[in-house]
Amino acid sequence: TREEGVEARVAAVEPYVPLLSVEERGPAIWGQVQEFFGIAPTFPEGQLLAHSTRVKKVTFVTAAARRALDAAQAPDGKGKAPEEEGGGEKAAVLNVVTAGTQIFELNICDYCPSCEYRLCMDGLPWLLPHMTKRVAKIPRATMVELLEKRTLPLEQTPQEMQDMPPGSMVGVVEGGCGGARGGDVAVVLWKGKGTVKLWVTKEEAESLLAAMLSATTSEI
């Protein structure tokens, strides 16, 4: 039946597990990400999840969600339900195939070998307060131009950004949206060999641009 087909496909998907529990790769992935972005020890790395054999995406869940997932997972952490004592039916286990907010994504680049992962805009609010590297303050006018054009020549960006090694980073405009949007504007960027590219969706860029222009108008 159709329902059985759906259940079979879901059962075939590997469940999410804590990133640090991914055999061999997990701790190494977290180590390179932590070093590259300067993530402070205050960040709760235990709340990062990934699929056990294909760490293409890393997601972040709240502490409460992590506890709920732990309770729902099988004891072996592989989504397999153990047999009940006495040969009865298998105990019910929740096979979690999607969870949390995407925070890192695999992005292998030949000129950025020190980190194979890039930042994701959705997870930035959780991560940014703990980042000590790869964050550059940029002028309001530069941010507006980035939101409009999506790509700028590197020489048109602040020196702080030009001096950074290539790879994923964050651009911040302090007070960029005034009081209406809570103040600062932060976006994920990609610094290439000669350009800086905006790494947010078209819809989000348009929303941020409208808010910044509105804030600028209200200040006049």
Side-chain angles (χ1 to χ4, degrees):
T1 65
R2 183 174 181 276
E3 183 177 350
E4 290 173 338
V6 172
E7 290 178 353
R9 288 194 296 272
V10 170
V13 177
E14 293 182 356
Y16 272 103
V17 297
L19 175 63
L20 295 179
S21 297
V22 176
E23 294 182 4
E24 299 180 7
R25 299 185 62 198
I29 290 171
W30 173 240
Q32 72 167 246
V33 167
Q34 187 178 34
E35 171 61 26
F36 188 70
F37 295 107
I39 303 173
T42 51
F43 181 78
E45 70 270 17
Q47 292 165 223
L48 295 174
L49 303 179
H51 284 294
S52 58
T53 61
R54 50 188 182 93
V55 190
K56 183 178 179 181
K57 299 177 181 179
V58 179
T59 61
F60 179 84
V61 296
T62 64
R66 170 64 198 275
R67 290 192 295 269
L69 289 169
D70 287 346
Q73 290 289 327
D76 64 0
K78 298 178 181 178
K80 304 297 184 181
E83 296 285 353
E84 291 282 9
E85 292 184 9
E89 295 182 356
K90 290 183 178 181
V93 172
L94 180 63
N95 187 13
V96 180
V97 298
T98 182
T101 300
Q102 191 169 319
I103 195 167
F104 302 113
E105 185 169 14
L106 186 65
N107 190 71
I108 297 175
C109 173
D110 59 356
Y111 58 84
C112 182
S114 55
C115 186
E116 297 180 340
Y117 289 78
R118 68 169 178 83
L119 301 167
C120 296
M121 189 67 180
D122 288 347
L124 195 58
W126 300 99
L127 188 65
L128 184 57
H130 306 277
M131 289 178 61
T132 64
K133 299 178 183 178
R134 310 294 301 175
V135 180
K137 294 179 181 178
I138 60 179
R140 180 192 291 259
T142 302
M143 177 67 82
V144 168
E145 196 169 8
L146 268 169
L147 292 170
E148 290 177 334
K149 299 179 179 178
R150 301 193 66 84
T151 302
L152 286 180
L154 191 57
E155 60 267 21
Q156 294 183 21
T157 64
Q159 191 63 45
E160 179 186 11
M161 189 177 293
Q162 296 181 37
D163 292 341
M164 285 186 184
S168 188
M169 61 172 297
V170 179
V172 178
V173 178
E174 294 184 343
C177 282
R181 289 287 295 268
D184 298 351
V185 174
V187 296
V188 173
L189 304 171
W190 179 268
K191 180 188 175 184
K193 294 180 179 180
T195 61
V196 173
K197 180 181 294 186
L198 186 70
W199 210 288
V200 305
T201 65
K202 179 181 177 181
E203 292 75 17
E204 191 158 17
E206 291 174 348
S207 176
L208 286 170
L209 179 61
M212 289 190 69
L213 295 177
S214 176
T216 301
T217 302
S218 65
E219 291 171 4
I220 298 176

